[in-house]
Amino acid sequence: PQTLAIEGEKLAIHEQKLSIEVLNLAIGRKNYNDPTRNNIMLIYENIDTNEIFGSSDIAKILECSLPNARLIISKLRDMKMICEVKGYGKGKYRFLNQNEL
């Protein structure tokens, strides 16, 4: 019974993930090139809303170097799509929920 409650909460949180439309609008406002747009979308698809990530996670998803991963994180920050998470070490982030915009 306890696991079901937790799974239910996770589903509720998952439903609040930023909509793809909101993400596309934010990307469109920044005039990023196609590879950057594709990388941002790939990250969005691979990371859950409540999942905490850093540049090493981005580097794994995109199969790129850490400096390139940090560049993508800075673009996500500029778009105001992610927020910093305290208590998990330096440079940890999560995607904003739909109701945090």
Side-chain angles (χ1 to χ4, degrees):
Q2 202 169 13
T3 21
L4 290 176
I6 292 169
E7 284 175 21
E9 285 175 33
K10 191 173 182 181
L11 288 174
I13 291 168
H14 185 69
E15 288 171 3
Q16 294 175 353
K17 185 173 184 178
L18 290 172
S19 71
I20 199 83
E21 294 83 15
V22 170
L23 190 63
N24 275 326
L25 282 172
I27 293 170
R29 284 194 295 259
K30 291 293 183 178
N31 292 325
Y32 292 140
N33 63 20
D34 284 341
T36 300
R37 287 170 181 252
N38 295 339
N39 285 340
I40 290 170
M41 295 307 287
L42 191 61
I43 291 163
Y44 171 82
E45 291 165 4
N46 281 278
I47 296 177
D48 284 332
T49 306
N50 54 349
E51 193 175 340
I52 295 164
F53 62 91
S55 51
S56 61
D57 302 303
I58 301 296
K60 283 180 198 156
I61 292 169
L62 299 179
E63 299 176 5
C64 69
S65 67
L66 282 174
N68 283 344
R70 285 189 205 102
L71 190 61
I72 293 289
I73 285 178
S74 82
K75 289 180 181 187
L76 285 167
R77 276 200 333 248
D78 287 346
M79 291 166 41
K80 296 179 179 21
M81 293 287 115
I82 60 173
C83 64
E84 197 165 355
V85 177
K86 304 288 182 200
Y88 290 90
K90 191 174 180 224
K92 297 296 180 191
Y93 301 89
R94 70 170 175 79
F95 275 100
L96 293 173
N97 292 326
Q98 194 70 41
N99 59 359
E100 291 177 301
L101 291 179

